[in-house]
Amino acid sequence: ATTLGAAAAEKGRYFGTAVSLNRLSDSTYSTILNREFNSVTAENEMKIDALEPQQNQFNFTTADRLITRANEIGAKVRGHTLAWHSQQPGWMQSMSGTALRNAMKNHITQVMTHYKGKIDSWDVVNEAFDDGNGGRRDSNLQRTGNDWIEDAFKTARAADPAAKLCYNDYNTDNWSWAKTQGVYNMVKDFKARGVPIDCVGFQSHFNSGSPYPGNYRTTLQNFADLGVDVQITELDIEGSGTTQATTYGNVVKDCLAVTRCNGITVWGIRDTDSWRASGTPLLFDGSGNPKAAYNAVLSAFGGS
Ligand code: G3I
């Protein structure tokens, strides 16, 4: 295979990218998107503030264009994200208690109903754990009660029983980190009690403060052993040249070594599309040329 998506498909995986809708008119960007990827995630357009700008008034127009494009290029869609402390619309930021809990559930139900059958995996809950310890992040959602996460997953299952329901977070890649253990224990508890959860997303934003860990494969396997799929959902790697390429290749090899690691998404196409203000963390340079990191990913999948 000669593209990322086709090479990954030969190994039974998908290879996706975050897409920013306003970049689709850029022909270099669109050409790479259409050619290389068979899964897409909206970088911002399916977040709570984008889809429900006023309470119970939904705006699906922009996000629907992503679904259309995905269908045109034969890509599946990861939904991102239904419940999150960040990028909440103003009306939600100022809510609390039962009203907020009900608003969260209504958002999940309305959005998943609109997209029923069109989204392969949903990030139902995003980034609910604190950095640096194994506990929950303080947020307005957390203050509605510790059961808000399982409430979100149960609501999601009822809304679209066929969609895969994921918990997604960052800094959960290193098996020895407390945050990783905190999320692991939650998933273990959910599986033991029958709370519906199908997958765990590892964002995998690797940089000097949170580097690719040597035990990444162990982490993916240990979560998979709980009975969930694991997905690499927002991959980008600080650096350049051979060092960066080697790390990208290692991430792919780790996913391929774990049967239930069913796909990888990079968080943008060209370095200039990255959310990071500086650096060169992606697979294509600013002109759209494939980097050494691209070749490492392709060859790790057995393509060339
Ligand atoms: O839409 C406005 C636009 O109207 C305005 O002109 C412009 C001026 O700055 O801002 C635009 O909104 C920005 C939006 O991206 C779209 O470009 C927001 O300020 C900015 O905060 C937002 O950043 C996004 C960030 O999530 C917000 O939390 C990044 O694009 C996006 O890559 C990033 O993605 C997150 C994942 O969702 C969760 N995991 C971490 C990851 C990286 O931070």
Side-chain angles (χ1 to χ4, degrees), residues 23-288:
R23 291 202 166 87
L24 290 181
S25 55
D26 175 331
S27 65
T28 304
Y29 181 90
S30 258
T31 300
I32 300 171
L33 171 65
N34 298 356
R35 185 183 69 220
E36 297 287 341
F37 299 96
N38 53 16
S39 175
V40 296
T41 307
E43 187 169 358
N44 289 294
E45 296 82 350
M46 288 189 188
K47 291 173 178 174
I48 313 168
D49 58 354
L51 294 185
E52 195 179 354
Q54 305 297 328
Q55 188 171 13
N56 214 25
Q57 289 179 20
F58 292 84
N59 182 354
F60 294 115
T61 314
T62 306
D64 285 353
R65 287 175 47 219
L66 179 83
I67 305 277
T68 302
R69 170 60 70 96
N71 290 340
E72 286 167 1
I73 66 174
K76 48 190 189 178
V77 182
R78 289 195 87 262
H80 175 81
T81 175
L82 295 166
W84 190 22
H85 68 277
S86 181
Q87 281 179 285
Q88 292 182 357
W91 63 265
M92 185 180 272
Q93 290 175 31
S94 59
M95 283 183 109
S96 63
T98 307
L100 174 60
R101 180 71 70 92
N102 288 338
M104 174 193 84
K105 293 200 278 192
N106 183 56
H107 182 83
I108 293 170
T109 301
Q110 300 301 325
V111 172
M112 288 190 74
T113 300
H114 179 83
Y115 287 114
K116 202 167 186 170
K118 295 176 176 166
I119 306 271
D120 179 74
S121 302
W122 267 111
D123 289 334
V124 177
V125 172
N126 194 42
E127 302 176 358
F129 277 71
D130 211 6
D131 292 314
N133 66 54
R136 296 285 183 85
R137 176 195 298 275
D138 180 49
S139 71
N140 59 349
L141 290 166
Q142 179 63 30
R143 290 191 292 271
T144 68
N146 207 49
D147 63 345
W148 73 276
I149 299 182
E150 61 192 87
D151 214 0
F153 277 90
K154 289 172 185 168
T155 305
R157 180 68 94 220
D160 182 359
K164 299 269 191 233
L165 309 181
C166 305
Y167 176 79
N168 191 53
D169 215 330
Y170 64 90
N171 284 1
T172 49
D173 317 291
N174 192 323
W175 182 244
S176 66
W177 284 15
K179 186 172 177 181
T180 309
Q181 295 299 314
V183 175
Y184 177 84
N185 287 328
M186 178 189 73
V187 176
K188 189 177 180 186
D189 171 59
F190 280 11
K191 293 303 279 185
R193 291 191 294 114
V195 177
I197 182 168
D198 305 304
C199 35
V200 176
F202 296 82
Q203 293 185 9
S204 308
H205 295 290
F206 294 129
N207 55 65
S208 53
S210 176
Y212 164 77
N215 58 22
Y216 190 58
R217 188 181 300 194
T218 301
T219 302
L220 298 178
Q221 186 63 60
N222 286 347
F223 275 83
D225 288 345
L226 293 175
V228 289
D229 288 340
V230 293
Q231 304 174 346
I232 297 165
T233 53
E234 304 182 14
L235 180 63
D236 50 27
I237 303 174
E238 188 178 78
S240 61
T242 309
T243 308
Q244 180 186 50
T246 302
T247 307
Y248 262 107
N250 286 339
V251 168
V252 173
K253 288 174 198 161
D254 289 339
C255 181
L256 290 175
V258 176
T259 308
R260 295 196 74 155
C261 180
N262 59 349
I264 299 176
T265 298
V266 289
W267 206 240
I269 296 180
R270 300 163 299 191
D271 287 331
T272 43
D273 300 318
S274 173
W275 67 288
R276 292 194 184 281
S278 62
T280 54
L282 294 171
L283 300 178
F284 294 85
D285 69 19
S287 306

Side-chain angles (χ1 to χ4, degrees), residues 6-28:
E10 285 185 355
K11 301 290 187 193
R13 270 73 174 183
Y14 65 79
F15 200 87
T17 181
V19 170
S20 191
L21 267 287
N22 59 20
R23 291 202 166 87
L24 290 181
S25 55
D26 175 331
S27 65
T28 304

